[in-house]
Amino acid sequence: MREFDRGYSEVTFSKIAELLKPQEAIIHKEYHLSTADPALVGIDNVRPVGNTNYDIADQLADVGMEAIHPKASKPLEMAGIHLRIKNTFEPSHPGTLITREYVSTLKRVEVITGTDQLLLIDIYDPLMVGNVGSDLQIMQLFFNHRVSYTFKATSANSISIVIWETDFKQALIDDLENAFEKVTVEPVAMVCLLGTNMDQPGLLANAATALAKSDINILSAGIALRKVNIQFLIAREQFKTAIIALNKALGQ
């Protein structure tokens, strides 16, 4: 419990599954893994996620919405054990099946989620442009202070990094300020579109349009080549509005 907090039961569950090697392991939660948070968008505007894969489970954990603790899911994933998440209060419902191989046959967004408990650290220095090693220098400072990040974006003279607010350390900021010209820190929220198969033309534009129609300015955005997670940084106070807007425009 000291190491995993409330995740200790899931880690124990995973260790047992590793030993028994079942085809499928079932874990019970007090809720469904849903397409969005019903507390934010309303119970009538969400549905349980029928199938997804371990990659999406990791993406969820990265923004604090743990389908299962990452330290528990990795052994199951590597052993090829399927994981089913069921709602304790709806025992007859099949729940969500998580496997290594699942990819949706339809191009769609499977989950809309995020968090409003983040900080954006922007490091600016005019000497960055063309300089090999600025990113490495910054990452070394993060490593020295044992701080992980959930998002990073770069330009010619600046690097923006997002961390959990709970991981903030003034000593890290002091070291960054000693090494670079200007460091700014501000609270932000992140909203994410997740899916095993959402590589479709116009998705990014449609998401940005939905946010713009709700007068939400995008501070930064990110999407990796695999296109399983599209991330938008926005003002913290607009988090709920953004989730509702995206769910209305893209939720299925």
Side-chain angles (χ1 to χ4, degrees), residues 218-252:
I218 298 171
L219 304 177
S220 186
I223 176 171
L225 182 63
R226 296 187 67 247
K227 296 182 177 66
V228 296
N229 187 354
I230 299 177
Q231 303 165 304
F232 299 99
L233 293 184
I234 60 172
R236 183 175 287 186
E237 62 271 17
Q238 294 181 312
F239 174 68
K240 181 177 179 179
T241 303
I243 293 290
I244 293 172
L246 290 173
N247 188 65
K248 183 178 180 180
L250 305 170
Q252 298 182 33

Side-chain angles (χ1 to χ4, degrees), residues 131-191:
N131 180 40
V132 176
S134 295
D135 195 0
L136 175 61
Q137 184 180 359
I138 292 170
M139 288 297 94
Q140 186 63 56
L141 292 176
F142 273 73
F143 176 80
N144 293 345
H145 290 279
R146 312 303 296 171
V147 176
S148 183
Y149 69 90
T150 62
F151 177 96
K152 182 166 66 172
T154 66
S155 68
N157 289 323
S158 68
I159 297 178
S160 299
I161 299 173
V162 174
I163 67 170
W164 285 99
E165 188 170 31
T166 52
D167 290 338
F168 175 79
K169 295 179 180 178
Q170 185 59 49
L172 169 61
I173 303 304
D174 293 341
D175 284 349
L176 289 169
E177 289 178 334
N178 289 332
F180 300 95
E181 182 172 306
K182 184 179 180 181
V183 178
T184 57
V185 181
E186 62 177 289
V188 294
M190 178 189 290
V191 290

